Each structure stands twice: as structure tokens, then as C-alpha cells.
């Protein structure tokens, strides 16, 4: 199995019902594709991903998202493989490893056309592996309580759930990553 953090720059070929995709780390030249991908999301997908309404992905924010800090940021995409002339991004998984606690916060989005095929689980598995490579001891994320798909996906991967007393609409899921 291939390492997910760019040791093989060509990435990993993944099958989907709409054709082959490439799973690879995000790149600085993905800005336009990331913005196009954001524009295709429904309001509910955006709310589930960001936990609140976000209407626009400005260029400077997209640039920052395409250049995660190599010391603590990990971002993986599912993208059309070469020779696509304007490849589209169909899914993104990212994590930030807190250098002080070595706990990694994750976020995931799989565009609706590609859901229900195991791609979200695959991205999470690759993200978890990348977090381990960075020395993370735990991975966690906040999920809206009505987001049954994500809660189930996390449960299948062994995450445990904790309702937030400060916000009953959010469930914190976490998975210890023992060495
Ligand atoms: C949640 C999300 C990531 C799931 O992606 P996906 O590629 O469909 O996930 P998978 O196909 O790997 O599904 C994994 C498991 O999740 C569950 N699941 C997936 N879609 C589901 C649905 N619509 N309803 C209930 N459970 C669902 C299933 O238990 C599935 O297990 P199975 O393979 O045994 O059926 C995707 O729907 C998404 O991006 N939603 C919007 C953004 C979001 O919610 N992000 C998470 C916030 S961190």
C-alpha cells in the first residue's frame, strides 16, 4: 500500500462509479479546482463540512488551503487523473496536527456524486495513516448531530462519540492513535 503523504508524487489510483480518480496530497496548483469544487457543493454539504454556512471560498483562502503547513497540515484530494486538462477535485480530507498536544483535528468532504462508495472511509484511512506518520497520538473532529453518514463512517473506523455540553448540536468524535 502506498504512503499517503507525497512520498510517491503520482498518488494512488482509486476506482469510482464515475471512473478512476487519483488520491494524492493537495498541491499549490489546485487552487482553481478547489474553488470550482466548492462552488458545486450544496448548502447542506457546506454546513456539514464547515458546521456553519459559508457562501464563498475566496482566492486567498483557497490558496492557503492548497498550501498546508508541512509541519502540521495534511490535505488529501480525490481528483481526476491525468491526462484531464482541467482536473476536478471531488473530495478533500484534511487534518491539522497540534504541535503541542499531537492531537489532529480532521475535516472531510466527498461530493454527493461520489458518496456511498467507500471513498470517504478510504480518505479517512489514508488521513489517519498520514497523521500517524506525523506522530499524532489522537485524531478528532466535530460532526453535526444530524450528520448520520459521518457519524456512522467514524463509528466503522473505531471512533468514539462525545456530545458537547457547550453545544448539543455537535458530536465530537475521536480515535486514539497508539504508537
Ligand atoms: C459524510 C461523507 C464524508 C460520507 O462519505 P462517503 O464517501 O459516502 O462515505 P463511505 O461511502 O465511505 O461510507 C462509509 C459509511 O458511512 C455510512 N454512510 C455513508 N453514507 C450514508 C448515508 N447517506 N446515510 C447513512 N450512512 C451513510 C455507512 O455506514 C457507510 O458504511 P457502509 O460502507 O457499510 O455502507 C459525505 O457524505 C460528505 O462529505 N458529506 C458532507 C460533508 C460532511 O458531512 N463532512 C463531515 C464533516 S467532518
Amino acid at each position: 500500500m502506498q504512503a499517503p503523504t507525497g512520498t510517491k508524487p503520482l498518488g494512488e489510483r482509486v476506482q469510482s462509479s464515475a471512473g478512476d480518480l487519483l488520491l494524492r496530497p493537495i498541491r499549490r496548483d489546485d487552487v482553481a479546482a478547489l474553488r470550482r469544487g466548492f462552488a458545486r457543493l450544496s448548502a447542506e454539504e457546506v454546513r456539514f463540512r464547515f458546521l456553519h454556512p459559508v457562501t464563498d471560498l475566496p482566492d486567498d483562502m483557497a490558496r492557503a488551503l492548497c498550501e498546508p503547513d508541512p509541519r502540521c497540515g495534511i490535505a488529501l484530494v480525490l481528483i481526476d487523473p491525468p491526462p484531464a486538462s482541467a482536473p476536478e477535485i471531488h473530495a478533500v480530507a484534511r487534518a491539522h496536527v497540534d504541535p503541542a498536544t499531537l492531537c489532529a483535528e480532521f475535516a472531510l468532504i466527498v461530493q454527493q456524486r461520489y458518496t456511498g462508495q467507500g471513498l470517504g472511509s478510504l480518505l479517512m484511512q489514508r488521513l489517519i495513516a498520514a497523521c500517524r506518520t506525523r506522530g499524532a497520538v489522537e485524531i478528532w473532529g466535530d460532526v453535526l448531530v444530524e450528520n448520520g453518514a459521518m457519524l456512522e463512517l467514524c463509528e466503522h473506523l473505531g471512533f468514539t462519540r462525545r456530545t458537547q455540553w457547550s453545544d448539543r448540536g455537535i458530536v465530537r468524535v475521536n480515535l486514539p492513535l497508539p504508537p
Side-chain angles (χ1 to χ4, degrees):
M1 189 175 296
Q2 182 173 321
T5 49
T7 49
K8 286 186 185 173
L10 287 180
E12 174 182 358
R13 203 92 173 186
V14 172
Q15 287 185 336
S16 85
S17 60
D20 279 7
L21 299 173
L22 193 62
L23 193 167
R24 64 157 171 76
I26 206 162
R27 298 195 315 224
R28 56 169 47 181
D29 59 349
D30 286 332
V31 173
L34 191 70
R35 294 189 76 197
R36 288 196 302 274
F38 180 86
R40 288 195 302 274
L41 295 176
S42 69
E44 183 175 78
E45 286 175 303
V46 170
R47 195 171 65 87
F48 278 3
R49 160 63 181 84
F50 295 97
L51 308 185
H52 53 84
V54 180
T55 51
D56 187 25
L57 183 63
D59 191 64
D60 55 342
M61 194 186 293
R63 278 180 202 288
L65 290 171
C66 289
E67 293 184 58
D69 183 336
R71 291 164 301 180
C72 53
I74 303 160
L76 306 174
V77 294
L78 279 175
I79 189 166
D80 294 324
S85 55
E88 298 295 346
I89 289 175
H90 305 292
V92 183
R94 57 178 66 245
H96 172 84
V97 184
D98 184 325
T101 63
L102 294 179
C103 292
E105 180 180 4
F106 76 85
L108 171 68
I109 179 90
V110 178
Q111 296 201 332
Q112 199 166 12
R113 182 174 172 215
Y114 291 87
T115 56
Q117 311 178 40
L119 297 176
S121 304
L122 178 72
L123 275 169
M124 282 298 290
Q125 286 165 21
R126 297 299 185 264
L127 193 67
I128 290 167
C131 287
R132 282 185 186 277
T133 303
R134 301 289 173 86
V137 297
E138 178 189 313
I139 183 166
W140 67 273
D142 284 340
V143 182
L144 289 181
V145 72
E146 65 265 36
N147 191 350
M150 191 61 197
L151 291 173
E152 200 148 318
L153 187 161
C154 289
E155 192 169 306
H156 286 183
L157 292 175
F159 283 74
T160 54
R161 303 177 186 182
R162 218 169 343 122
T163 305
Q164 297 295 90
W165 291 109
S166 53
D167 186 344
R168 305 303 289 264
I170 289 181
V171 178
R172 182 155 294 181
V173 294
N174 87 296
L175 179 71
L177 303 176

